[in-house]
Amino acid sequence: MKSFDKKSAFTLIELVIVITILSLLSTMGFISYINFSKGSRDSVRITEVRNIQKSLELSAIDEGRFPIPDKAREITLSGSVVWYQGTFGDSAHKAVKRLSKKPVDPSLGIEYSYSLLNNSQEYQISTIFEGEEITKSPFISHTYAAEITAFNIGNYNERVSYVKSDGRDIIVALPSITSSDDSSNELLEIIQSNNLVIHGKYNLSDSYNTGEYNQSGGVKSEDMNAIVFSGNLNELNEYENQRKFLENLIASYSQMSDVSQKSTDAVEKLNQINLDDSEAVQEYTNFLMQNNIGGLPRL
């Protein structure tokens, strides 16, 4: 009779250990694959929006302005257009004449968000950065949270915007010209509802309202007075009015949180100005005007 060698077989405990290790390795491999896929898509997005940026800049040299977005809707203040928000679609792609094919998001196949300031000289393109997949596993001690953030690029100053309405010159503290809310076209409502899309934050452009991603985490500004000047721009030739304008601008941004680094840097420079120094106040105000920042006309 043949004897049975107990050492030639796995025990139940050994089998459980092997299965556990294989499951752990499989889960880790799956997470790595998911993150690699997301990283690859993000690389495509960065390349494509930068190609759009280059094509827009070159087109503006030829045409003197940037093309109107496709499917554009007007974001307004007191009935006047502040910016046009839509996508870099067929018409914009045809207008720039420098891209062989129209870029679309590698995950959803949708057109990239494209916003244009009312002066047709400043624009913003918005897409997303994908984060790690939400993964639940009995073999991993924590959950990987989905971190989908906005990626904005363009020449928009992320500081102020100008609009003329009912004979008044209005300057608005405005860190972004992309909205996550496709149900409202009123600027102040968009701002007060925290629906501005900020680079690196969690609100996404309205073009990504597909149900795939969360839409939360825009600039927090419920109590912010966005209008920092209203009147006749000629009033800004006087020091006291210039000072009041800059005080309002500083106050508006002090009530915001989660603005982009570009906005933060601009406001830090503003905070360094001695408002009792009339020359410094005039110099900064003139800088905004002479460079048409946010569409401000030259005085």
Side-chain angles (χ1 to χ4, degrees), residues 188-208:
L188 295 184
E189 182 178 333
I190 290 170
I191 292 175
Q192 291 165 0
S193 300
N194 303 336
N195 286 325
L196 288 178
V197 176
I198 305 297
H199 179 77
K201 306 304 177 182
Y202 302 106
N203 263 10
L204 309 177
S205 167
D206 63 1
S207 60
Y208 282 91

Side-chain angles (χ1 to χ4, degrees), residues 270-282:
L270 183 58
N271 281 323
Q272 293 172 4
I273 297 174
N274 180 2
L275 296 181
D276 293 325
D277 184 342
S278 60
E279 290 186 4
V281 169
Q282 183 178 39

Side-chain angles (χ1 to χ4, degrees), residues 48-67 88 92-93 95-99 114-116 120-125 152-157 262:
E48 290 191 333
V49 296
R50 285 180 175 165
N51 285 340
I52 293 173
Q53 180 183 30
K54 291 176 184 177
S55 67
L56 285 170
E57 300 285 354
L58 291 172
S59 176
I61 292 174
D62 296 336
E63 304 296 332
R65 56 181 293 158
F66 297 103
F88 187 83
H93 173 245
V96 299
K97 305 173 184 176
R98 286 175 171 83
L99 293 172
Y114 168 42
S115 296
L116 183 67
S120 299
Q121 299 299 316
E122 294 185 36
Y123 70 93
Q124 193 168 67
I125 304 164
N152 296 346
I153 195 171
N155 71 346
Y156 178 61
N157 70 90
K262 185 175 180 179

Side-chain angles (χ1 to χ4, degrees), residues 18-187:
V18 170
I19 292 172
T20 300
I21 292 173
L22 290 175
S23 298
L24 178 60
L25 292 174
S26 176
T27 301
M28 293 175 65
F30 175 73
I31 293 172
S32 297
Y33 170 75
I34 289 293
N35 289 336
F36 174 78
S37 299
K38 288 174 179 287
S40 297
R41 290 195 292 268
D42 284 341
S43 295
V44 170
R45 292 184 181 104
I46 293 172
T47 299
E48 290 191 333
V49 296
R50 285 180 175 165
N51 285 340
I52 293 173
Q53 180 183 30
K54 291 176 184 177
S55 67
L56 285 170
E57 300 285 354
L58 291 172
S59 176
I61 292 174
D62 296 336
E63 304 296 332
R65 56 181 293 158
F66 297 103
I68 294 291
D70 288 69
K71 300 185 283 289
R73 60 191 182 95
E74 298 177 347
I75 307 301
T76 62
L77 175 64
S78 300
S80 296
V81 176
V82 182
W83 80 80
Y84 303 92
Q85 181 163 332
T87 63
F88 187 83
D90 293 332
S91 296
H93 173 245
K94 183 178 180 180
V96 299
K97 305 173 184 176
R98 286 175 171 83
L99 293 172
S100 58
K101 65 177 182 178
K102 178 185 70 179
V104 295
D105 185 272
S107 177
L108 301 177
I110 61 175
E111 297 167 349
Y112 291 108
S113 174
Y114 168 42
S115 296
L116 183 67
L117 201 62
N118 53 19
N119 66 346
S120 299
Q121 299 299 316
E122 294 185 36
Y123 70 93
Q124 193 168 67
I125 304 164
S126 186
T127 182
I128 63 171
F129 263 141
E130 293 185 75
E132 295 175 315
E133 187 76 16
I134 293 179
T135 305
K136 295 181 179 179
S137 169
F139 310 110
I140 297 180
S141 60
H142 64 279
T143 299
Y144 288 82
E147 299 287 349
I148 311 297
T149 57
F151 181 88
N152 296 346
I153 195 171
N155 71 346
Y156 178 61
N157 70 90
E158 298 187 20
R159 193 180 327 172
V160 295
S161 182
Y162 166 81
V163 65
K164 195 172 187 68
S165 177
D166 296 328
R168 293 178 300 143
D169 296 304
I170 301 174
I171 304 175
V172 185
L174 192 59
S176 172
I177 53 172
T178 303
S179 170
S180 64
D181 182 12
D182 56 5
S183 65
S184 175
N185 294 335
E186 174 54 43
L187 174 62

